[in-house]
Amino acid sequence: MIYLTTDNHDQGVYFDLRRNEPRRRSGGIEHVIHGLLGNGIAEVPVTVRSWRDWMEIAFGAGELFRFVEERDIRRMLGQVVREMELH
């Protein structure tokens, strides 16, 4: 579990990762990460797909973004995934 930030109620926002084995694609390796993003009150499923310089972050339905800014979470998740790809 990775702690990302705090929401507007000063509760921790976390990302629980379930990483799949990287898949080879033409011209690179695709990384797919599944998990839950939550703050203790609300959770949403999330899938992150990364390939070369492209990244897609898809959130499921939920109430989490009433408590925290989606734009900030997307930026932070992107940083986490880039670091994971290096290790």
Side-chain angles (χ1 to χ4, degrees), residues 4-79:
L4 294 174
T5 185
T6 55
D7 66 10
N8 58 11
H9 296 291
D10 288 330
Q11 297 181 38
V13 176
Y14 58 86
F15 181 48
D16 187 17
L17 304 172
R18 283 178 228 104
R19 186 161 131 175
N20 293 349
E21 286 296 316
R23 296 185 290 185
R24 291 211 175 275
R25 287 181 59 179
S26 60
I29 297 175
E30 179 183 43
H31 297 270
V32 179
I33 300 169
H34 300 281
L36 286 175
L37 180 67
N39 67 348
I41 296 174
E43 288 185 336
V44 296
V46 62
T47 300
V48 181
R49 292 179 57 215
S50 173
W51 183 64
R52 292 180 139 190
D53 294 332
W54 171 82
M55 184 177 301
E56 173 188 50
I57 301 174
F59 297 109
E63 298 293 319
L64 180 66
F65 296 110
R66 290 182 36 210
F67 303 103
V68 66
E69 291 292 323
E70 182 178 344
R71 181 182 68 232
D72 295 337
I73 294 299
R74 284 184 183 277
R75 179 181 48 80
M76 290 177 199
L77 283 177
Q79 291 172 348

